C-alpha cells in the first residue's frame, strides 16, 4: 500500500537552532515527492518538488533532499516566521497520478 | 495574483442538510481536486476532475458528489450532511502535466 509517514508530529525549536523533518514513503514508481507549508487557517503552499534520489532543492533557510526511501526537510537557523505545519506528499505507485499526503509536522520556533 | 477561491471560510449546517461547497480557479487549470483535512490524518482525496464534466473518485468519495460544468468551477456536494463530515475542506487545482497543487484557503465545515 502506498504510504507517507512524517516525523516527528511536532517539533519545538529555539530561534537559530537547526534541525530536520523526516518524510518516509513507500510507493513504487515515484513520480514526484512534494513539500508544502501550511499556516493556521490557510491552505497548503507549495515549496519543492523532488523527482529522483540524490536530488536537492533549496529556498532561503529550507533545503529538501531525497533518497529512495525518505526525504528530509532541513531548516537552517530557523526564525519564528518559519513556524507552520510542513506537509510531505508523493505521486506515483498504485495511486497513479493522485497525490498522497502525510499527516504533517507542526514546527514551532521560539524567539 | 493567480488563485483558487473557496466560497465560504466557515460553514455550519445541520445533520441531513444538502451542502454545496464551491471552488473557482482563475488560472485555466485543467485539473481540480477536493480534499478533506482532519487532525492526525493528513489530506485525503475525495474527488478530482481532469476536464469539464469529467470526475473521478478519490480515496473517500462516500457521501459526496461533485460537479464540474465549467472549467474554472468545481463544486463539492454533501447530499445529506452527517456529523462525521465535520472537517476542513480544501480545493486545489493544477495544470495538466504539472503536479504542483495550488490550494484555496479552505472551508471549515461543522455539521451539528
Amino acid at each position: 500500500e502506498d504510504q507517507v509517514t512524517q516525523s516527528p508530529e511536532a517539533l519545538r525549536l529555539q530561534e537559530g537552532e537547526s534541525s530536520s523533518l523526516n518524510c518516509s514513503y513507500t510507493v513504487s514508481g515515484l513520480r514526484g515527492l512534494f513539500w508544502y507549508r501550511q499556516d493556521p487557517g490557510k491552505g497548503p503552499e507549495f515549496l519543492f518538488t523532488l523527482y529522483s534520489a540524490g536530488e536537492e532543492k533549496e529556498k532561503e533557510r529550507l533545503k529538501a533532499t531525497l533518497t529512495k526511501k525518505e526525504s528530509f526537510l532541513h531548516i537552517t537557523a530557523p526564525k519564528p516566521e518559519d513556524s507552520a505545519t510542513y506537509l510531505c506528499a508523493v505521486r506515483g505507485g498504485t495511486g497513479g497520478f493522485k497525490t498522497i499526503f502525510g499527516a504533517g509536522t507542526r514546527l514551532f520556533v521560539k524567539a | 495574483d493567480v488563485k483558487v477561491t473557496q466560497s465560504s471560510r466557515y460553514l455550519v449546517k445541520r445533520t441531513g442538510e444538502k451542502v454545496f461547497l464551491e471552488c473557482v480557479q482563475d488560472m485555466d487549470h485543467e485539473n481540480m481536486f477536493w480534499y478533506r483535512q482532519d487532525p492526525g490524518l493528513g489530506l485525503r482525496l475525495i474527488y478530482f476532475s481532469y476536464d469539464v464534466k469529467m470526475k473521478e473518485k478519490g480515496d473517500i468519495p462516500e457521501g459526496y458528489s461533485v460537479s464540474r460544468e465549467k472549467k474554472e468551477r468545481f463544486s463539492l456536494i454533501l447530499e445529506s450532511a452527517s456529523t462525521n463530515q465535520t472537517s476542513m475542506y480544501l480545493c486545489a487545482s493544477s495544470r495538466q502535466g504539472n503536479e504542483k497543487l495550488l490550494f484555496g484557503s479552505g472551508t471549515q465545515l461543522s455539521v451539528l
Side-chain angles (χ1 to χ4, degrees), chain B residues 3 8 12 18 28 36 54 63 67 73 83 105 108:
Chain B
K3 57 184 178 181
S8 302
V12 180
K18 190 168 186 176
D28 201 36
R36 65 176 282 177
M54 179 271 183
S67 172
R73 187 179 297 270
T83 54
S105 295
Q108 180 62 53

Side-chain angles (χ1 to χ4, degrees), chain A residues 16-87:
Chain A
E17 180 186 0
S18 301
S19 188
S20 297
L21 281 55
N22 177 263
C23 172
S24 298
Y25 64 92
T26 52
V27 63
S28 58
L30 181 72
R31 297 178 186 272
L33 184 139
F34 309 88
W35 283 98
Y36 289 83
R37 169 190 170 129
Q38 186 174 23
D39 292 300
K42 295 188 177 181
E45 180 181 342
F46 172 80
L47 291 173
F48 304 110
T49 307
L50 302 167
Y51 290 104
S52 55
E55 190 175 357
E56 299 181 353
K57 292 272 180 76
E58 283 189 71
K59 179 180 180 180
E60 296 180 354
R61 295 177 291 282
L62 300 176
K63 179 180 177 181
T65 62
L66 181 65
T67 72
K68 288 187 177 180
K69 293 184 179 180
E70 58 191 350
S71 176
F72 292 94
L73 185 65
H74 306 279
I75 303 176
T76 302
K79 298 181 177 181
E81 53 262 41
D82 294 322
S83 297
T85 296
Y86 291 86
L87 301 172

